[in-house]
Amino acid sequence: MKILDVCCGSRMFWYDKEEPHTTYMDIRKAIYTAKDRNLVRKIEINPDIQADWKNIPFDDCTFDLVIFDPPHLVRAGKTSWLAKKYGTLDLMGWPHDFHCAFQEIMRVLKPTGTMLFKWNEDQIQIKEVFRAFGQQPILGDMRSKTKWSVFIKNE
């Protein structure tokens, strides 16, 4: 099993942050500190490979599973803790960026591959994201604010 986490960030939701089947990728490589509610917080983003999800540097049909947990904020202070922790999206360009990312993810997935997608609807509705992808998921959580969805590679 080969897994790619294309926006690994600080690997927040991974139980095993060094899971051996997984390649961790992010456009950022940094250690951030910020004051948050009178506490100094630190976040380390240390991917195995530093790359942009719109141009994934792997061959076609490489991965069985791709995890896609992109930034979901278009409105956040550039130096805010939320922006440092999660990253931000370009307000006008995110639909095109997401379309490109989805195409790249589908390219690197094997023919039987699956994409697990995580999204928070705080600022952008998930239906807008699916429209940018150009494909609906096969299943997912439709009730909570943070949603998990599953996509399969179309032949």
Side-chain angles (χ1 to χ4, degrees):
M1 165 78 70
K2 290 189 72 163
I3 303 169
L4 175 64
D5 183 344
V6 294
C7 299
C8 69
S10 63
R11 307 178 193 189
M12 282 179 270
F13 58 77
W14 287 91
Y15 291 110
D16 180 353
K17 296 186 186 313
E18 300 295 330
E19 201 289 319
H21 301 93
T22 305
T23 301
Y24 298 95
M25 185 179 110
D26 204 291
I27 197 168
R28 304 175 297 163
K29 185 174 181 117
I31 298 174
Y32 297 113
T33 57
K35 198 164 191 176
D36 179 37
R37 295 181 219 139
N38 296 323
L39 296 171
V40 175
R41 298 187 186 265
K42 177 181 163 184
I43 186 167
E44 182 175 356
I45 300 164
N46 188 23
D48 298 326
I49 184 164
Q50 191 173 357
D52 188 337
W53 35 262
K54 296 182 302 291
N55 188 19
I56 299 173
F58 293 100
D59 293 335
D60 296 359
C61 304
T62 300
F63 296 95
D64 301 288
L65 173 65
V66 174
I67 312 298
F68 190 33
D69 177 17
H72 59 271
L73 300 172
V74 290
R75 292 179 305 279
K78 293 296 179 197
T79 60
S80 72
W81 176 244
L82 284 176
K84 289 178 179 180
K85 185 174 181 180
Y86 298 112
T88 58
L89 298 171
D90 176 60
L91 178 61
M92 302 307 289
W94 75 263
H96 178 263
D97 291 348
F98 274 34
H99 180 77
C100 293
F102 189 80
Q103 298 303 310
E104 275 292 280
I105 289 167
M106 290 297 138
R107 180 186 65 76
V108 300
L109 277 173
K110 292 179 181 177
T112 57
T114 304
M115 178 180 87
L116 181 59
F117 176 67
K118 179 179 168 268
W119 187 253
N120 181 288
E121 286 193 302
D122 187 58
Q123 296 182 4
I124 299 171
Q125 298 263 326
I126 200 163
K127 65 182 178 185
E128 294 179 49
V129 176
F130 296 161
R131 190 175 308 120
F133 287 169
Q135 184 175 325
Q136 293 290 315
I138 61 167
L139 62 94
D141 173 16
M142 295 184 234
R143 295 186 181 253
S144 65
K145 191 174 181 180
T146 298
K147 299 178 182 321
W148 290 85
S149 301
V150 176
F151 291 80
I152 56 173
K153 183 172 183 170
N154 286 339
E155 293 299 319

